[in-house]
Amino acid sequence: MSHSLNNPRRRLLGAGLAVFGLTSITIATTVQAVTLTPRQSRGPFYPTALPLDKDNDLIYVAGRNGIAKGEIANVVGRVVDDRGRPVDRARVEIWQCDAHGRYHHSRDRRNVPLDENFQGYGQSFSDAEGGYRFRTIKPVAYPGRAPHIHFAISGPDFEPLVTQMYVAGAPENARDFLLNSVSDPTARQQLLVPFTETNAAGELVGRFDIVLAADGRFSG
């Protein structure tokens, strides 16, 4: 992690999940759904080179004093297999566009401002209970796409998975070709995350559990 945990702005993500005020969102429980998390496209904006600041707090960037534009949102969840067993030390990566709908990527040349105070990419490692967490912004729509966050999950004992998380209730979901390419309604529902909870700081919280196959297979 590129920021010292002595920095009070960063201490939040170095502490236990209780810091998020998640008393009503149980992290260390068996995931009820056994439907495997479906694959989704990596897309064109995965970083060509990882940023120096790539920790799990995306609303601050090392060396800058500002804060990212947009609604602060904590994305939390567990990485488990389809038997409910936690996957320890899985690397969980996320990347998404900023509040203006622009990615921190050389291929995104849209004529909209680039939020230099938004990290755009981050990574975390699941704990012994499979838990992971990110502090970022609630995703916004990108031209032709519903609001979403890209996820990549990798580790030594399973095949890497790339998927996307969507905002439940976003009107753009009905027209998003990638979301609607998931034909199984149960699997599609797994990708939809409501942001109706808040933590003790008044920040949004969304839960996205990731279910991998125990034998290394993933759903299509």
Side-chain angles (χ1 to χ4, degrees):
M1 185 177 294
S2 57
H3 290 260
S4 169
L5 295 180
N6 290 326
N7 184 333
R9 298 187 307 186
R10 292 288 174 166
R11 193 174 300 135
L12 175 64
L13 296 190
L17 289 168
V19 175
F20 286 92
L22 300 182
T23 55
S24 62
I25 301 178
T26 303
I27 298 299
T29 58
T30 301
V31 172
Q32 295 178 354
V34 295
T35 302
L36 305 180
T37 299
R39 288 180 180 273
Q40 292 267 275
S41 168
R42 181 181 293 268
F45 299 126
Y46 181 83
T48 52
L50 297 186
L52 293 177
D53 190 356
K54 53 182 183 287
D55 64 6
N56 60 344
D57 188 346
L58 280 67
I59 70 166
Y60 292 107
V61 177
R64 301 187 65 87
N65 294 321
I67 187 173
K69 295 180 173 63
E71 292 183 84
I72 298 175
N74 298 276
V75 179
V76 303
R78 297 181 70 220
V79 183
V80 300
D81 68 21
D82 55 9
R83 300 175 189 174
R85 298 176 300 188
V87 178
D88 186 15
R89 296 297 297 170
R91 184 171 75 156
V92 183
E93 302 173 83
I94 68 168
W95 62 102
Q96 66 185 107
C97 65
D98 63 23
H100 303 297
R102 183 174 174 182
Y103 283 87
H104 284 243
H105 196 284
S106 59
R107 293 180 63 180
D108 190 345
R109 301 185 179 93
R110 296 183 60 233
N111 188 26
V112 295
L114 180 66
D115 185 358
E116 297 288 356
N117 292 319
F118 182 56
Q119 194 168 291
Y121 168 93
Q123 61 179 242
S124 181
F125 287 87
S126 61
D127 61 23
E129 294 297 326
Y132 75 88
R133 54 199 182 276
F134 289 95
R135 191 181 188 210
T136 183
I137 61 170
K138 183 180 178 181
V140 302
Y142 179 84
R145 295 298 317 281
H148 63 281
I149 298 177
H150 296 264
F151 275 73
I153 303 92
S154 58
D157 300 322
F158 57 88
E159 181 183 354
L161 172 68
V162 174
T163 190
Q164 297 183 29
M165 183 213 82
Y166 300 82
V167 178
E172 298 88 352
N173 290 342
R175 303 184 299 274
D176 191 276
F177 69 100
L178 272 175
L179 174 61
N180 291 289
S181 70
V182 182
S183 57
D184 180 351
T186 302
R188 187 168 61 250
Q189 186 64 34
Q190 277 194 313
L191 301 180
L192 297 171
V193 173
F195 285 88
T196 55
E197 301 277 354
T198 56
N199 64 12
E203 300 170 348
L204 295 173
V205 178
R207 181 186 175 92
F208 184 47
D209 291 320
I210 298 161
V211 185
L212 310 177
D215 61 2
R217 293 178 293 104
F218 294 108
S219 61

